[in-house]
Amino acid sequence: MKARQIKTNVYWVGAIDWDRRLFDELIPLPDGTSYNSYLIEGSTKTALIDTVDPTMGDELINHLNQLGVDNIDYVIANHAEQDHAGSIPQVLVKYPDAKVVTTPKGQDMLVALLLIPEDRFITVSDGETLSLGDKTLEFIHAPWVHWPETMLTYLREDKILFPCDFLGSHLATTDLYVRDGGQIYEAAKRYYAEIMMPFQTNIQKNLEKIKDYAIDIIAPSHGPMHDRPEFILKAYHSWAFDEPKNIVVLPYISMHGSTQKMVEYFVGALADRGVTVKQFNLAATDIGKLAMALVDAATMVIGTPTVLLGPHPNVAYAALLANALKPKLQFVSIIGSYGWGSKAVEQLTGMIPNLKVEVLDTVISKGFPKEADFKALDNLASTIAEKHKESGFA
Ligand code: FEO
C-alpha cells in the first residue's frame, strides 16, 4: 500500500495490520486493524499526526520516503499508547529536528513509556493552535478517550478532525473512507464497547465539546475515515447518551447440563414476556460480542454452575469484565446450580462493585432444575419484564 492523498498536501501514511487478531493480549480483532498516521505539509512547516505500532514502523518510514519528505517539524502525539506513539522514536531518529507536540500529561507518559528525551517536546494547552503556514492545527484536550492524556487535533482549513482512538474502529481495509456502513457500525460499536464504554461520562463531554466544529472528515487512527461524520457521531451519541433497552444479556456456562436447562427455560420465559435476550455460552464466546451486547442492555443475568463452592472461572472472568467495562446496566441476577454447596452468588455479586445495579432475586438449583426452580425462573422473568416497563425501557 502506498501513501494516499486525502486533500492537497494532506496524506494518509499509516499501516494496515491484516493479521493482528488480539489487542492488549485481551481484545479479539476479528477483522485486523490499521494504525493511521497522517502527514500535513503546510507552506512553512510539516507535521505528522500520530505514528504506527512499532512492529510496522518501517511502513511509515517507507511512505515518508515515497513522498520525498526530507523534513518533519512536528510529530503530533494525540495519544501515548504504543500502537500510535510506538514509532515516534524511529521518526525522531530519521528527523533529528522534529519536536513531539502533545499535552503535558502526554509528555509524562511518552517519556515513561518510550524514553523520549524531554528536550524533544512541545506541550500544548487546550485550544492552542500551531501554524504550518497556510494550514493551522488546533489542539482539543479530550481526556479519557481513553487514557488521561488524550487530545484531538483539528485541521482548520481542511475541516479534518484527527481524534486518534476516539470514533475509530479496528478494521483492516483498503478503503480510505467508510464504504460499508453496516460493517463499520459493528466494528465501531465493538471498539466503543471495549475501549470507550468505561469512560461514558467523558465520552459525553467530549462529544459536546466537538459538536460546534465544522467537520468534513473524521480521520481516526484506527479504521477507515469518515467522509460523512454524522454517521459515527450519531452512533456514538446513541451509545453514550441513550437509555438502556429492553434487553437481557445472559453470559453463562454449564458443565453437566443443569445450568444449560435453566438458561434454555429462562430465555424462553423472557422471550414470552417480550424481552430481548442475548445469550452467550462462555465456553465459546467472543468477548467483544459480549461487550457490544452490554452497550444497550438494561439487565445482565449470569448463569453459572458451582466449581469448588464458587462460580465457574469463565463466568467469574465475564463478571470482572462487565465490572471493568461499566455498561449502563440497571439490574443483575444470577441463575445456576450446585451439587453440595455454593457461594457463587456472594462471590459473583462481590465482583461487580462498579455496576450501579439493583440485584434481583437469584435462582440456584440443587442439581438438575425441578418444578420449583422453573417457577422461580418464571417469576424472575416477570420481575425483569416489569422492571423494564416501570423504568421506561420497554
Ligand atoms: Fe489505539 Fe489507545 O490506542
Side-chain angles (χ1 to χ4, degrees):
M1 183 78 73
K2 291 182 180 164
R4 303 175 81 176
Q5 185 166 21
I6 301 168
K7 294 255 186 170
T8 304
N9 295 328
V10 181
Y11 300 88
W12 176 91
V13 290
I16 299 175
D17 197 339
W18 296 92
D19 298 330
R20 191 161 181 176
R21 286 291 172 269
L22 204 57
F23 196 84
D24 290 345
E25 305 308 311
L26 171 68
I27 296 168
L29 301 182
D31 302 309
T33 190
S34 65
Y35 317 107
N36 301 330
S37 176
Y38 301 96
L39 182 78
I40 303 172
E41 294 184 312
S43 55
T44 59
K45 302 284 186 188
T46 297
L48 184 70
I49 298 187
D50 293 328
T51 65
V52 301
D53 191 87
T55 56
M56 303 190 89
D58 288 350
E59 278 209 38
L60 169 61
I61 298 296
N62 286 343
H63 287 147
L64 297 173
N65 288 338
Q66 281 164 15
L67 292 172
V69 178
D70 54 19
N71 182 55
I72 286 178
D73 298 284
Y74 307 115
V75 180
I76 314 300
N78 283 323
H79 178 27
E81 193 164 9
Q82 291 89 334
D83 53 323
H84 309 291
S87 296
I88 291 178
Q90 194 176 353
V91 171
L92 294 183
V93 168
K94 181 170 170 64
Y95 300 100
D97 295 327
K99 294 282 190 188
V100 179
V101 179
T102 188
T103 61
K105 275 189 185 151
Q107 175 175 332
D108 285 349
M109 296 178 77
L110 289 164
V111 168
L113 294 173
L114 296 169
L115 311 180
I116 298 172
E118 296 207 5
D119 63 0
R120 298 300 299 266
F121 285 92
I122 297 171
T123 59
V124 289
S125 53
D126 188 22
E128 193 169 333
T129 59
L130 184 65
S131 175
L132 307 179
D134 59 349
K135 293 185 188 287
T136 313
L137 301 180
E138 178 180 338
F139 304 106
I140 305 165
H141 283 206
W144 295 110
V145 292
H146 60 118
W147 279 10
E149 88 300 357
T150 43
M151 69 175 188
L152 325 176
T153 298
Y154 179 63
L155 174 54
R156 280 184 178 170
E157 290 75 8
D158 294 297
K159 300 187 178 64
I160 305 177
L161 182 71
F162 300 93
C164 199
D165 280 339
F166 190 43
L167 310 170
S169 54
H170 282 308
L171 179 70
T173 172
T174 53
D175 294 336
L176 200 50
Y177 293 98
V178 173
R179 288 294 170 257
D180 181 341
Q183 185 188 32
I184 284 297
Y185 187 89
E186 170 101 3
K189 187 172 186 181
R190 173 186 282 267
Y191 194 81
Y192 174 87
E194 293 165 336
I195 305 291
M196 299 291 165
M197 186 160 63
F199 310 105
Q200 185 192 327
T201 308
N202 295 285
I203 300 294
Q204 292 174 346
K205 284 183 194 156
N206 286 313
L207 287 172
E208 286 295 308
K209 196 165 182 178
I210 60 172
K211 76 177 177 3
D212 294 328
Y213 281 80
I215 299 171
D216 285 348
I217 296 172
I218 292 176
S221 293
H222 292 296
M225 298 187 293
H226 297 270
D227 52 2
R228 288 176 294 132
E230 65 283 358
F231 171 79
I232 190 67
L233 290 171
K234 203 169 152 201
Y236 256 66
H237 199 278
S238 156
W239 300 330
F241 283 95
D242 284 1
E243 290 288 316
K245 296 185 171 59
N246 184 25
I247 297 171
V248 169
V249 170
L250 207 170
Y252 79 100
I253 212 158
S254 186
M255 290 158 61
H256 298 293
S258 300
T259 301
Q260 180 76 41
K261 184 70 188 172
M262 295 175 79
V263 165
E264 285 169 9
Y265 185 87
F266 185 56
V267 169
L270 285 165
D272 286 346
R273 289 158 176 80
V275 180
T276 299
V277 188
K278 297 186 178 178
Q279 175 184 329
F280 297 93
N281 184 338
L282 295 168
T285 284
D286 167 350
I287 58 164
K289 287 273 189 190
L290 174 59
M292 284 169 69
L294 288 169
V295 171
D296 306 310
T299 297
M300 175 170 69
V301 177
I302 302 169
T304 187
T306 299
V307 180
L308 300 173
L309 289 180
H312 190 286
N314 287 17
V315 174
Y317 174 68
L320 290 172
L321 185 70
N323 184 61
L325 294 176
K326 294 199 249 177
K328 293 179 274 193
L329 293 169
Q330 302 290 304
F331 308 103
V332 161
S333 182
I334 298 161
I335 64 175
S337 59
Y338 68 98
W340 61 89
S342 179
K343 293 190 173 159
V345 168
E346 299 92 304
Q347 290 185 15
L348 280 174
T349 49
M351 289 174 191
I352 52 172
N354 289 343
L355 303 181
K356 304 301 173 216
V357 292
E358 179 183 346
V359 179
L360 305 176
D361 286 345
T362 59
V363 183
I364 304 297
S365 162
K366 180 170 169 58
F368 199 77
K370 301 157 195 74
E371 194 177 335
D373 302 306
F374 293 124
K375 187 159 180 11
L377 290 171
D378 277 327
N379 290 341
L380 178 59
S382 295
T383 301
I384 290 170
E386 280 160 23
K387 294 271 182 193
H388 285 192
K389 276 203 186 92
E390 283 166 14
S391 306
F393 304 149

